[in-house]
Amino acid sequence: MSRSVLTRIIARIAPSLQPTRGPRISVHLNQDPSALERGYHAGDPLTLVYRDRLPALAPGTTDRVILDRVFLAINDCPASPDYEQLAHHWAARSLRSLSVGDVVVIGRRAFASQRFGWDHLPALP
């Protein structure tokens, strides 16, 4: 087999050999002191403190599972090795814990942390 044929074969199959990457996430801390009591409101001042792409996720992983894992990692209890990088980043920057009113974006879907669970936001903040 000639080298050029082999090169073309490798170029064709190489994308399938690359590790699959998961969705891009970003974490925004709410700077409004009243957000802890009332939750997120459109227009609240947010500070982007983390943005990265998650490793590949198991098929059928829901946004709720991702959000809960992000919450645990940020609060120093990573539920999965895939979220340890987030936990280390958070600890290294000495950021406060994720709280009511903070926002996590998965891909192009935004969610605000509530006392219990998450609210889907109709638009990106």
Side-chain angles (χ1 to χ4, degrees):
M1 186 177 301
S2 74
R3 186 177 186 134
S4 64
V5 171
L6 186 58
T7 301
R8 280 184 271 153
I9 291 171
I10 291 171
R12 184 177 292 159
I13 65 170
S16 64
L17 301 175
Q18 298 295 324
T20 307
R21 300 196 65 191
R24 183 170 297 282
I25 67 161
S26 60
V27 180
H28 308 258
L29 297 182
N30 198 324
Q31 301 304 313
D32 187 321
S34 65
L36 190 57
E37 293 298 320
R38 62 169 170 75
Y40 172 78
H41 285 200
D44 281 354
L46 299 174
T47 300
L48 173 66
V49 293
Y50 184 80
R51 178 181 288 156
D52 200 1
R53 189 173 292 278
L54 292 174
L57 302 172
T61 302
T62 64
D63 286 342
R64 173 61 191 244
V65 168
I66 295 169
L67 291 165
D68 289 346
R69 288 180 180 169
V70 166
F71 182 87
L72 289 170
I74 287 172
N75 292 298
D76 204 25
C77 304
S80 162
D82 294 340
Y83 295 81
E84 286 180 3
Q85 177 180 337
L86 171 56
H88 292 303
H89 170 86
W90 212 265
R93 294 191 59 202
S94 299
L95 296 167
R96 67 166 172 77
S97 62
L98 192 71
S99 300
V100 172
D102 295 334
V103 175
V104 175
V105 178
I106 303 170
R108 300 197 50 76
R109 299 172 309 282
F111 302 87
S113 177
Q114 297 299 315
R115 287 194 195 291
F116 300 99
W118 300 88
D119 278 346
H120 180 263
L121 301 178
L124 293 174

